Amino acid sequence: MYDVIIIGGGPAGMSAAIYAGRGGKKTAVIEGEVYGGQIALTHELENYPGIKKINGFDLGMILAEQAQSFGAEIIADRVVEIEAAGDIKRVKCAATGTLEGRTLILCMGAAARMLGAEGEKENVGRGVSYCATCDGNFYKGKEVVVVGGGNTALEEAVYLSGIAAKVTLIHRRKGFRADAASLKRAQTAGVNFLLERTVKRIEKAEKGLTLTLDDGRIINTDGLFVAIGRNPDTAVLQGSGIELDEAGYIITDRDMRTSVGGVYAAGDVTAKKLRQAVTAAADGAIAGSMAVEYLEK
């Protein structure tokens, strides 16, 4: 029987474990892949307070070691089922079996949707990025390409226009899903548009990347930003009674409480505007602290 079971070992989950452990609670973190979650794929991280520059994998290991120093048990497994209702929460894992806890903190994260282009996976963190706020500063004065047609893609293109020398937005359709205001901002910012085209192949070049489009055209660029949406990892919550928004993100209040008593959520899996390592860690600190307070009451 654990006091706190945390699902997900990214910045949110490890931060929650640190605060729960410091609160003297028996804590388990279940992580099925690698410490740090999505951040482990980040080649360089420059916007985490207190650390000028660090590899995402290294930050994940540091967070895990810190959580363990406060007594958190890290279980390498995959969650297949959750029973959130009632005073005792049950988490069924693929290999470990069923764990029981008095509180539950959900930190499963959200994965960026990939283009599916040849060579995309091989170049993640090596020129291919899914977050302009995270990686845009590496392309100061350079040329970048953004792929997407929604508000997020246009917002990222506008953001990058203030950093890069040239921004080209590639969209598979002639029209945009984005609203008129976002489109106008992108046009005013000088973003170049290449419409009715898709990226089929991504190759590492001597400097930057070489993109092959569906019409055979070749584009050389320093960086590629994919902004076609994200998928929250909430499939396991089906039938749990935990309220999700229309996009599948967990709805919480400002104390990271979900719609089910004793269940909290933190990080990229929650419905929020800014998804960054530092905001995930802050969410985790709140969730861990609130879980401790719940248990003591």
Side-chain angles (χ1 to χ4, degrees):
M1 175 66 68
Y2 292 93
D3 294 315
V4 182
I5 296 178
I6 300 166
I7 304 176
M14 292 304 182
S15 178
I18 290 167
Y19 277 77
R22 280 172 55 86
K25 304 307 176 186
K26 185 179 180 182
T27 303
V29 179
I30 305 169
E31 172 54 61
E33 295 184 3
V34 62
Y35 300 159
Q38 289 291 312
I39 203 173
L41 301 176
T42 303
H43 183 59
E44 285 187 347
L45 189 71
E46 288 187 323
N47 58 354
Y48 197 86
I51 302 175
K52 289 186 68 175
K53 185 181 292 187
I54 191 170
N55 178 282
F57 179 82
D58 292 339
L59 179 59
M61 292 300 295
I62 291 169
L63 291 170
E65 289 170 5
Q66 191 173 4
Q68 288 173 316
S69 75
F70 290 111
E73 178 185 349
I74 301 179
I75 299 169
D77 209 338
R78 179 174 57 88
V79 175
V80 296
E81 188 178 331
I82 290 173
E83 293 179 24
D87 292 335
I88 303 301
K89 320 300 179 184
R90 293 177 176 84
V91 179
K92 184 178 180 181
C93 300
T96 311
T98 300
L99 305 179
E100 294 185 335
R102 294 183 173 87
T103 62
L104 184 61
I105 303 178
L106 308 171
C107 307
M108 294 90 74
R113 292 178 192 158
M114 301 186 77
L115 289 172
E118 182 182 340
E120 181 179 9
K121 289 182 179 179
E122 293 82 351
N123 288 295
V124 172
R126 301 177 181 275
V128 176
S129 174
Y130 301 87
C131 176
T133 311
C134 308
D135 301 327
N137 199 52
F138 295 122
Y139 299 93
K140 193 171 185 178
K142 298 182 179 182
E143 297 185 4
V144 298
V145 170
V146 178
V147 177
N151 282 331
T152 299
L154 291 172
E155 288 168 7
E156 298 231 320
V158 170
Y159 175 81
L160 289 165
S161 70
I163 300 170
K166 180 181 178 182
V167 180
T168 300
L169 186 138
I170 298 175
H171 182 40
R172 62 181 177 174
R173 299 190 181 96
K174 190 174 182 179
F176 290 90
R177 288 179 288 109
D179 57 42
S182 294
L183 180 57
K184 186 174 181 179
R185 281 194 296 271
Q187 292 169 333
T188 303
V191 174
N192 301 283
F193 295 94
L194 186 54
L195 306 180
E196 298 181 274
R197 293 290 178 267
T198 58
V199 177
K200 290 298 183 183
R201 187 182 305 117
I202 303 168
E203 297 173 281
K204 189 68 177 173
E206 186 177 343
K207 291 184 178 180
L209 300 170
T210 297
L211 311 181
T212 303
L213 306 188
D214 56 350
D215 62 355
R217 190 182 316 188
I218 302 294
I219 294 179
N220 295 312
T221 184
D222 293 298
L224 172 65
F225 290 84
V226 180
I228 57 175
R230 301 181 73 84
N231 294 316
D233 189 7
T234 51
V236 73
L237 299 182
Q238 286 187 347
S240 67
I242 295 169
E243 187 179 2
L244 309 178
D245 70 5
E246 58 184 15
Y249 291 95
I250 301 172
I251 296 173
T252 67
D253 64 11
R254 66 180 183 179
D255 289 330
M256 314 317 297
R257 287 186 288 250
T258 71
S259 57
V260 175
V263 181
Y264 303 82
D268 288 5
V269 77
T270 64
K272 58 194 243 178
K273 179 68 174 177
L274 186 63
R275 293 185 171 89
Q276 298 282 283
V278 64
T279 60
D283 289 349
I286 295 169
S289 297
M290 292 300 102
V292 170
E293 183 177 295
Y294 173 89
L295 289 164
E296 291 180 348
K297 285 182 178 178

